[in-house]
Amino acid sequence: MEEVVTRKLLESCHKAAEHNNMIWVCGGAANVGRIAYEVGVLLTDMDKGRMCCTSAIGAGSKAHAEIALKAMRNIVINGCGNRCASKILEGVGARIDYEVILSNYIQKIATLDVLEREVKIVAKKIIDEVRL
Ligand code: SF4
């Protein structure tokens, strides 16, 4: 990890959900899970949306479920066909406006080493398809 010199402060997810694209990622422990996470970070850094805590909804946080329920748009990035992030949102009845399953495009392998190129390709695909 690169040393962070300055930190970009983000709007709270509660506020962002009223006018922004909320990004939910699985963050699983495989290459595709990590790519999902890194794409969420990149899209947030590019001000294309705001990544929020998917696992908090899975853990039963009502506050986080409310964010998904009131979001302008929910963009969900799953590492593989298990669709963990999508299932978490579906579990609280949240609308999914766009969903991607990365293993349909990138082979799922047991590594956490990912390429910056892979992250950028997936981010561009989502930007183009959702018209962010
Ligand atoms: S969707 Fe696949 S990669 Fe992501 S957390 Fe679930 S099993 Fe892991």
Side-chain angles (χ1 to χ4, degrees):
M1 279 286 152
E2 225 172 272
E3 189 180 342
V4 177
V5 180
T6 56
R7 293 173 197 269
K8 176 180 175 177
L9 294 180
L10 303 172
E11 186 177 30
S12 78
C13 288
H14 279 283
K15 279 254 176 238
E18 291 165 11
H19 63 87
N20 207 346
N21 303 300
M22 299 309 291
I23 300 168
W24 309 92
V25 307
C26 76
N31 64 327
V32 286
R34 182 170 175 201
I35 291 169
Y37 188 89
E38 298 294 345
V39 169
V41 172
L42 180 57
L43 293 176
T44 302
D45 281 347
M46 294 171 75
D47 293 323
K48 298 292 187 185
R50 168 71 155 99
M51 188 161 80
C52 196
C53 303
T54 312
S55 53
I57 300 179
S61 165
K62 285 195 169 43
H64 288 82
E66 277 169 22
I67 292 166
L69 288 167
K70 76 176 183 181
M72 186 182 84
R73 273 196 296 196
N74 286 313
I75 295 167
V76 187
I77 309 173
N78 297 289
C80 75
N82 282 326
R83 299 177 62 249
C84 296
S86 291
K87 286 175 184 169
I88 287 172
L89 262 70
E90 287 166 355
V92 294
R95 187 190 71 252
I96 294 175
D97 299 288
Y98 174 88
E99 171 190 86
V100 65
I101 296 170
L102 299 188
S103 62
N104 288 346
Y105 310 95
I106 300 166
Q107 189 185 0
K108 181 180 182 183
I109 47 178
T111 180
L112 293 176
D113 293 334
V114 302
L115 304 175
E116 194 180 334
R117 174 165 47 89
E118 295 172 312
V119 175
K120 285 185 175 167
I121 288 170
V122 173
K124 184 175 182 327
K125 172 185 168 58
I126 295 172
I127 289 168
D128 290 347
E129 290 184 355
V130 188
R131 299 188 184 177
L132 294 176

